[in-house]
Amino acid sequence: MAGAGPRKGKKDDNGIGTAIDFVLSNARLVLGVGGAAMLGIATLAVKRMYDRAISAPSSPTRLNQSGKRSWEEPNWLGSSSRLLSQDMKTNLSRSLQTLPTESSATDTDFFRPTKPKPSAKRSQVELKKSRLRLSLQEKLFAYYRRKVAIPTDEQALAKQAAVDICAELRSFLRAKLPDMPLRDMYLSGSLYDDLQVVTADHIQLIVPLMLEQNLWSCIPGEETIMNIPGFYLVRRENPEYFPRGSSYWDRCVVGGYLSPKAVAETFEKVVAGSINWPAIGSLLDYVIRPAAPPADLTLEVQYDPERRLFIDFLPSLTLGDIVLVAKPHRLAQNDNLWRLSLRPAETARLRALDQCDSGCRCLCLKIFKAVCKLNPALGHLTASQLTNVILHLSQEESNWSQDVLADRFLQALKGLIRYLEAGVLPSALNPKVNLFSELTPEEVDELGYTLYSSLSEPEVLLQT
């Protein structure tokens, strides 16, 4: 075999050069010229590393007589092997003796992977994040005290004004419209549930309609041509046996369906045109006037020289276990649909969860509501949407103590951004209902951009 015999005339060396020549000469037979060339380059690189290792000095600061460091790159002359001189052997032996030796570093431990020690940089990053969380926690509580929370006396005065006006309206309707089939009206909304923020300026007056069960039925929105879950059509039934006029609410039927718009117009005539609100306001020591359009079913009440309360009249109906309200869809072509009422059940679940573990869900929700109310770019986000974000997060996180408010606030913010990115926010009580269905793509993009921009510095949301 080529290269097997001794090569006369070659300068004697330590055997490294002979081994390299042997490998290269046989490589030509097996790999050909090109393969042998590649192998030669690789072998030369190994040899170069070997020479650099054996030429390392015992001290990295020691300089030779020429002023160059003794471990600098040696001069290569062709592919001849480098001789291992006695000085090199001495330096190599000395270098090996200086390697750290520990009793625990056995032969088996050498091959065992060592656990990486936490770097100082990582510790500093974690410490910085912890400080940022504490800082955000303090700012959230300060923001709640400064902007979110409503003084108790202000809430009490606003609720009392709403109760007084509700009583006057109930008396008027019973006296002037005794044939209108209504159940007892009641107050609802965030002020009534102690979830209102910034100022006590809004409450709902629910006006329940009485419908004959055999004359009306509900059709889910997803079963109609409009295909909108969360909304219903209320259809007039049995017209052949119970002709038009058999029900008081037949006057509000449009195209065979009870129109929430027509019902609202009926109450608008009563609220805005039939009741002498100045006289009632003088009796109650309030200033009462119908609100300007488009809030057609809203009363504006000034119960204090510097405070105003808006009372929304919200017709409602119950068929079986389904509760609907005459709150119109944002798109005009869907104004014949009744909205499924989910808010009372959502609020009840949120409060029940907080009562079980003394959690901060309601506190987190109120901060989000204040941020959206005070930031015009986030005005399209509703209380129901924010409530459902918190409810979804409650299914993932069990710890809702006051100490983790900042963490939950950031998680809810990121979750809201993910929902906006997908364009879908399923209701926690009825997953087939998309709570973003009434938002336009442009509004979704604007909301997502505004919130995403605040991720790096959430404190900017608290500066509004």
Side-chain angles (χ1 to χ4, degrees):
M1 182 178 292
R7 307 187 68 174
K8 296 181 180 181
K10 181 176 177 60
K11 188 177 180 180
D12 188 31
D13 55 19
N14 62 344
I16 298 297
T18 303
I20 292 174
D21 290 340
F22 176 80
V23 171
L24 292 177
S25 60
N26 285 279
R28 295 189 190 101
L29 297 177
V30 178
L31 302 176
V33 177
M38 294 299 295
L39 181 59
I41 294 173
T43 309
L44 189 61
V46 174
K47 183 173 180 295
R48 183 176 180 180
M49 292 172 60
Y50 174 80
D51 281 52
R52 291 185 62 183
I54 63 175
S55 62
S58 59
S59 174
T61 59
R62 183 177 180 180
L63 301 178
N64 58 19
Q65 295 181 355
S66 63
K68 296 183 180 180
R69 297 186 185 276
S70 58
W71 67 87
E72 284 187 2
E73 187 84 34
N75 293 326
W76 289 88
L77 299 177
S79 61
S80 62
S81 62
R82 183 182 178 90
L83 297 179
L84 185 61
S85 63
Q86 187 64 30
D87 292 338
M88 293 179 181
K89 294 179 180 179
T90 303
N91 290 337
L92 178 60
S93 176
R94 190 178 302 165
S95 299
L96 292 174
Q97 291 175 2
T98 60
L99 290 176
T101 57
E102 296 181 1
S103 58
S104 59
T106 61
D107 292 340
T108 57
D109 291 336
F110 182 80
F111 295 98
R112 184 178 301 167
T114 58
K115 296 182 179 179
K117 296 181 180 180
S119 63
K121 185 176 181 181
R122 181 180 301 175
S123 300
Q124 292 177 359
V125 171
E126 293 176 353
L127 180 61
K128 184 178 180 181
K129 289 182 178 179
S130 177
R131 289 176 178 173
L132 289 175
R133 283 195 296 270
L134 291 176
S135 175
L136 179 60
Q137 183 100 343
E138 295 173 355
K139 291 179 180 178
L140 287 172
F141 280 111
Y143 180 77
Y144 178 81
R145 293 188 296 268
R146 186 179 70 256
K147 293 286 188 70
V148 181
I150 303 175
T152 305
D153 59 340
E154 181 180 348
Q155 294 188 61
L157 289 174
K159 288 181 180 179
Q160 186 58 51
V163 169
D164 293 340
I165 292 175
C166 179
E168 290 294 329
L169 182 60
R170 184 186 298 115
S171 299
F172 176 85
L173 291 176
R174 286 176 177 175
K176 299 298 182 179
L177 299 171
D179 58 335
M180 180 180 286
L182 297 175
R183 292 188 174 92
D184 286 339
M185 293 179 287
Y186 59 92
L187 296 173
S188 181
S190 57
L191 177 60
Y192 182 80
D193 296 326
D194 194 26
L195 288 175
Q196 196 155 109
V197 297
V198 183
T199 181
D201 60 356
H202 186 268
I203 199 168
Q204 291 179 337
L205 180 60
I206 306 299
V207 185
L209 281 60
M210 291 180 62
L211 295 181
E212 300 83 356
Q213 296 293 327
N214 60 327
L215 298 184
W216 308 94
S217 65
C218 292
I219 302 177
E222 59 270 24
E223 298 179 7
T224 68
I225 192 174
M226 292 164 284
N227 190 23
I228 306 178
F231 290 83
Y232 282 77
L233 285 173
V234 179
R235 183 169 57 192
R236 176 66 157 85
E237 299 288 356
N238 302 319
E240 61 278 10
Y241 301 106
F242 302 95
R244 186 179 180 90
S246 301
S247 173
Y248 178 90
W249 300 109
D250 280 341
R251 66 193 68 188
C252 300
V253 171
V254 176
Y257 299 94
L258 182 62
S259 170
K261 183 178 181 181
V263 172
E265 290 173 351
T266 299
F267 280 98
E268 181 187 354
K269 295 176 182 178
V270 175
V271 172
S274 302
I275 303 179
N276 189 350
W277 289 115
I280 295 177
S282 177
L283 179 65
L284 298 175
D285 198 19
Y286 302 145
V287 177
I288 308 174
R289 66 178 69 91
D296 299 326
L297 273 177
T298 301
L299 282 179
E300 181 182 350
V301 182
Q302 185 174 350
Y303 62 94
D304 187 85
E306 298 180 356
R307 296 171 180 168
R308 285 177 171 81
L309 174 68
F310 293 89
I311 303 178
D312 291 337
F313 289 84
L314 192 59
S316 170
L317 57 90
T318 301
L319 288 173
D321 57 352
I322 299 175
V323 180
L324 306 175
V325 291
K327 188 175 182 180
H329 194 281
R330 287 188 66 193
L331 301 180
Q333 62 266 29
N334 299 324
D335 60 2
N336 214 32
L337 293 169
W338 290 77
R339 186 184 299 269
L340 178 64
S341 178
L342 293 173
R343 184 195 173 280
E346 293 168 351
T347 303
R349 175 174 293 189
L350 193 70
R351 287 198 167 281
L353 290 172
D354 266 358
Q355 290 174 359
C356 289
D357 56 12
S358 301
C360 63
R361 298 171 185 83
C362 291
L363 176 61
C364 188
L365 172 63
K366 293 171 76 170
I367 292 175
F368 264 111
K369 289 177 64 174
V371 167
C372 295
K373 185 173 183 177
L374 298 175
N375 190 334
L378 301 175
H380 291 302
L381 289 173
T382 66
S384 178
Q385 293 165 350
L386 298 175
T387 301
N388 277 269
V389 170
I390 302 296
L391 289 176
H392 284 302
L393 185 58
S394 296
Q395 297 176 358
E396 304 172 4
E397 298 291 344
S398 57
N399 182 10
W400 282 85
S401 62
Q402 303 286 332
D403 297 336
V404 296
L405 174 62
D407 292 331
R408 299 298 171 263
F409 179 84
L410 290 175
Q411 286 179 298
L413 176 61
K414 294 176 182 178
L416 181 55
I417 293 173
R418 288 196 300 269
Y419 291 126
L420 286 168
E421 184 180 7
V424 177
L425 173 57
S427 168
L429 303 182
N430 192 344
K432 65 183 178 182
V433 176
N434 177 19
L435 298 175
F436 287 159
S437 63
E438 295 178 79
L439 292 175
T440 65
E442 293 76 17
E443 290 169 345
V444 171
D445 290 342
E446 181 181 0
L447 291 169
Y449 175 78
T450 302
L451 293 174
Y452 185 80
S453 300
S454 67
L455 270 182
S456 59
E457 193 176 355
E459 292 84 354
V460 299
L461 295 174
L462 310 180
Q463 297 173 1
T464 53

